[in-house]
Amino acid sequence: MAKTPITVAYGDGIGPEIMKATLAILEAAGAELDIDVVEIGEQVYKRGIKNGLDPRAWESLARTRVFLKAPITTPQGGGYKSLNVTMRTALNLYANVRPTVSYYPYVETKYPNMDVVIIRENEEDLYTGIEHRQTEQVVQCLKLISQPGSERVIRYAFEYARANGRKKVTCLVKDNIMKLTDGLFHQTFDRIAKEYPDLENDSWIVDIGAAKLATTPESFDVVVMPNLYGDILSDVTAETSGSVGLAGSANIGEHYAMFEAIHGSAPRIAGQNIANPSGLLLAAVMMLVHIGQSDVATRIHAAWLKTIEDGVHTPDIYRAQGPSTRKVGTTEFAEAVIERLGEQPTVLNAVEYRETPKAPAFPDVPHKKALKQLVGVDVFLDWAPGKPDTLGEQVRQFSEGPLALEVITNRGIKVWPDGIPETFCTDHWRCRFRGANDAPVTPAQVVKLLEHMTEAGLDVIKTENLYTFDGVPGYSAVPG
Ligand code: NAD
């Protein structure tokens, strides 16, 4: 079999120890790999490279397109960029796949039947990092959800479920509040779910969904969600499974894929040969499936399960009063896995890996462009906290064409007209100008309105145009 080229980085902290252990197991199991080692992390940051990646790493990745990465230490402060965020966005790794399994009774956990795969959108949402301070009192962060971004990760979740013999895909969102952003994710989920009638699907509001995931994880199978919820909930599920040292993850894109443990570089236990290499090893198993070496992946996974079953445990999961029989270091654990290659677990479920889906091509669906019509503008003002009626009286004198002041809100709550005097107000006000019955307005009318307001001394800090798409409002209504 031809060797598959992959890029490998040993990382920082416990990275080198767990990578060495992982690669030893891969080699002993007969993985056909042509490994190109690159430097990332602390040493690279210290050389003044702000994203922590040696330029040669890019060259290597452009060639191999597959990255097995150990954790790195991200230096605090100093304008350094997160290497992981750089990798995800630069390589368009839109799906983060994190399987979490309980290995009860061999690893202590309150949830013996947990076998959940969290698939997290990886590039959008509140993680675009677009933040602004707008007034003395108020800062904002933009939450961006796109239709293609949602479509790709949701489609991947269904393809993953199908390829891995899973039964159900669940969507978690907060679209009772964020009707447009999380609403788009949810609608996309409902539309794509119809293309997979062989799989069950359901959706939960993320708060109750998270509570259920944390208390009855066995009722979930594959779970797909936007970036922030996925980030938080994948850590919750990993922690409840028994140890952060046990979970691996895959970051999947159309052209590249990156595999790593979910934990960090654990500097406090580095260099002591006590770290658990399992998270990175299970990430490497996912990598082997990705590059078409599913048989090797299956062999390694079975030998690893047998090692865990035999009670050969690193200190993070070792329990003297439990099923543990031998407390071992990182190297000895790897040796124990190698000794068991070819063996099967007797209690834990071995997995027969098949092909996992390559990132599904984004379907070129003929798309009818909606009629987009400008119908108003939200003008945001920095105005020292005062009486909403005073501001209302001042601002209502401004109008332009069909644009007339309709409502003023403060932190989203209506304060004019007919506000409640007790509503707490900051210095950040939104004045909504709209025509009656969504009458069309022109950009020139918006510009004129802003000119008049700024000439009158009002501090306009930003505006958001209000559009309808095929007559459907593309902006949230003001309740009350
Ligand atoms: P961490 O995951 O490194 O450690 C959290 C806890 O889990 C610690 O108690 C640690 O000892 C334990 N732990 C982690 N991995 C273990 C393993 N394999 N075996 C046994 N115990 C293990 O998180 P942290 O301490 O918050 O972060 C340390 C550094 O790692 C930081 O610089 C952070 O930025 C970085 N980090 C990197 C990545 C990555 O490269 N993907 C991810 C998360 C954190």
Side-chain angles (χ1 to χ4, degrees), residues 68-120:
L68 181 62
K69 172 185 164 288
I72 61 145
T73 303
T74 314
Q76 297 295 308
Y80 297 110
K81 281 196 206 151
S82 157
L83 183 136
N84 267 18
V85 173
T86 304
M87 299 295 300
R88 281 176 204 152
T89 45
L91 305 182
N92 191 211
L93 305 174
Y94 62 79
N96 182 226
V97 184
R98 287 186 173 195
T100 322
V101 184
S102 295
Y103 302 103
Y104 184 81
Y106 306 101
V107 178
E108 222 172 69
T109 170
K110 290 189 191 129
Y111 307 104
N113 300 316
M114 175 170 178
D115 184 359
V116 181
V117 181
I118 303 248
I119 300 190
R120 159 191 170 194

Side-chain angles (χ1 to χ4, degrees), residues 368-379:
K368 187 181 146 286
K369 220 168 156 27
L371 176 69
K372 181 180 170 191
Q373 180 66 61
L374 183 65
V375 295
V377 61
D378 279 347
V379 180

Side-chain angles (χ1 to χ4, degrees), residues 143-350:
K143 173 168 167 127
L144 292 179
I145 302 270
S146 78
Q147 189 269 327
S150 305
E151 172 136 5
R152 271 192 299 196
V153 71
I154 291 166
R155 203 169 275 288
Y156 184 83
F158 278 98
E159 289 288 329
Y160 178 96
R162 199 178 255 175
N164 287 280
R166 298 272 173 169
K167 302 270 179 303
K168 184 169 78 171
V169 184
T170 300
C171 172
L172 298 185
V173 278
K174 186 79 184 171
D175 61 341
N176 54 335
I177 302 294
M178 286 162 278
K179 296 185 169 69
L180 290 186
T181 47
D182 282 22
L184 174 60
F185 197 88
H186 193 171
Q187 288 151 22
T188 309
F189 178 84
D190 286 346
R191 175 167 56 79
I192 291 172
K194 291 197 181 85
E195 295 176 32
Y196 296 84
D198 50 320
L199 295 167
E200 285 174 53
N201 71 83
D202 61 0
S203 304
W204 292 86
I205 297 294
V206 64
D207 38 20
I208 186 64
K212 278 186 150 311
L213 195 55
T215 50
T216 52
E218 63 279 2
S219 57
F220 292 86
D221 196 345
V222 174
V223 192
V224 64
M225 58 193 119
N227 207 340
L228 176 64
Y229 314 141
D231 191 6
I232 297 169
L233 289 179
S234 55
D235 270 19
V236 170
T237 50
E239 193 64 33
T240 49
S241 78
S243 165
V244 283
L246 291 176
S249 85
N251 292 273
I252 303 290
E254 213 169 311
H255 305 293
Y256 293 87
M258 176 170 90
F259 301 85
E260 61 180 344
I262 69 155
H263 58 75
S265 59
R268 257 176 284 177
I269 60 166
Q272 298 166 46
N273 192 39
I274 56 173
N276 190 342
S278 300
L280 186 60
L281 180 67
L282 294 180
V285 165
M286 293 165 89
M287 178 194 75
L288 289 171
V289 180
H290 177 81
I291 62 176
Q293 300 189 27
S294 302
D295 49 339
V296 188
T298 302
R299 247 162 79 75
I300 293 176
H301 192 224
W304 177 80
L305 287 172
K306 183 77 168 80
T307 311
I308 297 291
E309 257 186 29
D310 286 349
V312 183
H313 292 168
T314 44
D316 56 316
I317 57 169
Y318 180 85
R319 299 288 176 272
Q321 258 70 50
S324 302
T325 54
R326 256 175 75 201
K327 193 196 271 188
V328 292
T330 315
T331 316
E332 295 72 33
F333 182 83
E335 285 164 5
V337 176
I338 291 169
E339 277 164 24
R340 288 165 179 76
L341 285 167
E343 293 184 39
Q344 291 294 319
T346 44
V347 174
L348 295 172
N349 292 328

